[in-house]
Amino acid sequence: DYRAPLAPAGTVAAQGVVEPAGRVVKLGADAPGRIARVLVKEGQAVKAGAPLVVFSSDVAQAQVATAEAEVRAAKARLARAGAGVRPEQRQALAAERRAVKARLELAKRNEQRLASLRQSGAVPEADYDRARSQRDAERAQAAALSARLRATRPWARDVGVAYAELRRARARLAEAKVRLARLTVRAPKDGTVLQVLVRAGEYHRPGEAHLLTLGDLSVRRVRLDVDERDVARVRIGQAAIIRADAFGKQRFPGKVVEIAQRMGRKNLRTDEPTERLDTKILEVVVELKDGKALVPGLRVSGYLQK
């Protein structure tokens, strides 16, 4: 059975557990799904943003492809609304309008010539009436073609509607990409994979369990349970000595870097029959100068010096 050694005179003794810097991070998933790949193994160092676990993503990839197609279609509709009609059609209407204008000028000159001759009685009244009717017909046709050309210009309302549809399609694409990205669990920070709890092919539901644990092993810390009777003798920067039965007489020096702001229940039990379980404790974190030999989760004894 684990038995804590007697504390040296003048020190504060407490039981504690080794942990990585910043404590252990338990990573889970945002959505349920079947695990396709586990990309890391225990003890592997990873960088922030590195992919760790990938869920099955066939449906999400199809949704992204569909959203991308909708964006392309919305762009085409916006381009069509902005152009009005095809360039060939506009060119044909413009050519027809030029021809009508030419005929209108010819009809005007003919009507003016016959008007002069009518006054002298050189032409019948019927010929003059036909010339005037021809002029009016050409003028009406020219006006109709001008209206048709104006109708080929982009309409602001159509362009606005098409642009709104494009924005909506892009938002749907962004949403689909977010859903796809959520199917890859990434490292929130630099660290070492301490434990992998899932395998490829398993079905995972958020809240039931976490996927893996991650910790920063560049620095080891010890979280001590300081008895409520000794809290007045604890301070930031205080020198500390850590020992573990597995390392015999070897000592690991460090200093206090964190002190909890409220009392709490014991985190560790010594399994001694005489141990008081109702004692309140204050969590105190000691950062070790060189504790790479200590395994996270190892129970240790800590001694805070005067």
Side-chain angles (χ1 to χ4, degrees), residues 97-108:
R97 184 186 180 190
R98 289 193 296 270
V100 170
K101 280 187 174 182
R103 292 198 301 269
L104 175 60
E105 290 299 323
L106 180 60
K108 284 181 178 179

Side-chain angles (χ1 to χ4, degrees), residues 74-138:
K75 286 182 178 179
R77 288 193 294 270
L78 177 60
R80 185 175 61 185
V85 297
R86 291 178 303 187
E88 296 84 358
Q89 184 178 357
R90 186 180 293 107
Q91 292 171 3
L93 288 173
E96 187 177 353
R97 184 186 180 190
R98 289 193 296 270
V100 170
K101 280 187 174 182
R103 292 198 301 269
L104 175 60
E105 290 299 323
L106 180 60
K108 284 181 178 179
R109 286 196 297 269
N110 187 43
E111 187 267 337
Q112 291 172 358
R113 182 178 62 83
L114 292 178
S116 303
L117 294 174
R118 187 189 63 163
Q119 292 178 356
S120 61
V123 296
E125 188 72 21
D127 289 347
Y128 172 73
D129 291 340
R130 282 194 297 270
R132 188 173 56 182
S133 298
Q134 182 66 28
R135 180 205 61 186
D136 293 341
E138 296 296 347

Side-chain angles (χ1 to χ4, degrees), residues 33-305:
R34 191 169 304 280
I35 296 172
R37 289 177 295 163
V38 179
L39 304 178
V40 293
K41 57 184 179 180
E42 294 181 359
Q44 179 177 339
V46 295
K47 294 292 185 180
L52 307 176
V53 178
V54 178
F55 283 76
S56 178
S57 60
D58 294 343
V59 175
Q61 289 177 351
Q63 291 173 342
V64 170
T66 301
E68 288 175 343
E70 290 178 352
V71 169
R72 291 193 295 269
K75 286 182 178 179
R77 288 193 294 270
L78 177 60
R80 185 175 61 185
V85 297
R86 291 178 303 187
E88 296 84 358
Q89 184 178 357
R90 186 180 293 107
Q91 292 171 3
L93 288 173
E96 187 177 353
R97 184 186 180 190
R98 289 193 296 270
V100 170
K101 280 187 174 182
R103 292 198 301 269
L104 175 60
E105 290 299 323
L106 180 60
K108 284 181 178 179
R109 286 196 297 269
N110 187 43
E111 187 267 337
Q112 291 172 358
R113 182 178 62 83
L114 292 178
S116 303
L117 294 174
R118 187 189 63 163
Q119 292 178 356
S120 61
V123 296
E125 188 72 21
D127 289 347
Y128 172 73
D129 291 340
R130 282 194 297 270
R132 188 173 56 182
S133 298
Q134 182 66 28
R135 180 205 61 186
D136 293 341
E138 296 296 347
R139 181 178 293 169
Q141 189 170 0
L145 279 173
S146 297
R148 289 172 62 187
L149 276 172
R150 288 195 298 272
T152 62
R153 298 172 184 171
W155 194 27
R157 180 176 297 178
D158 288 343
V159 174
V161 171
Y163 183 66
E165 290 179 352
L166 177 59
R167 291 180 59 187
R168 182 172 60 182
R170 284 174 172 169
R172 288 175 177 172
L173 175 58
E175 181 183 1
K177 287 183 176 180
V178 169
R179 287 197 297 266
L180 178 60
R182 290 173 59 186
L183 297 179
T184 299
V185 179
R186 299 181 180 273
K189 62 179 182 178
D190 295 352
T192 301
V193 179
L194 304 179
Q195 192 177 23
V196 178
L197 301 172
V198 293
R199 298 291 182 269
E202 295 179 349
Y203 191 86
H204 177 77
R205 291 185 178 86
E208 291 185 353
H210 51 279
L211 300 169
L212 48 83
T213 57
L214 187 70
D216 180 8
L217 296 183
S218 60
V219 177
R220 299 293 200 280
R221 290 184 171 187
V222 173
R223 189 167 297 271
L224 298 174
D225 286 356
V226 175
D227 190 278
E228 58 186 341
R229 294 170 295 185
D230 298 321
V231 296
R233 294 192 287 164
V234 177
R235 65 185 184 278
I236 295 291
Q238 188 174 10
I241 295 294
I242 303 299
R243 67 172 302 278
D245 284 354
F247 294 88
K249 295 182 180 181
Q250 185 176 356
R251 301 293 184 266
F252 299 90
K255 64 178 180 180
V256 175
V257 293
E258 292 182 15
I259 298 176
Q261 299 302 306
R262 63 186 301 274
M263 306 297 292
R265 292 182 174 274
K266 281 187 175 182
N267 296 313
L268 299 172
R269 304 285 190 270
T270 63
D271 298 328
E272 288 287 344
T274 59
E275 180 184 12
R276 289 182 55 191
L277 301 180
D278 59 346
T279 303
K280 294 290 186 179
I281 58 93
L282 183 70
E283 288 189 354
V284 175
V285 179
V286 173
E287 186 172 294
L288 303 178
K289 293 182 179 179
D290 183 13
K292 293 183 178 180
L294 299 176
V295 180
L298 179 67
R299 291 197 302 180
V300 297
S301 298
Y303 305 96
L304 306 182
Q305 301 175 349

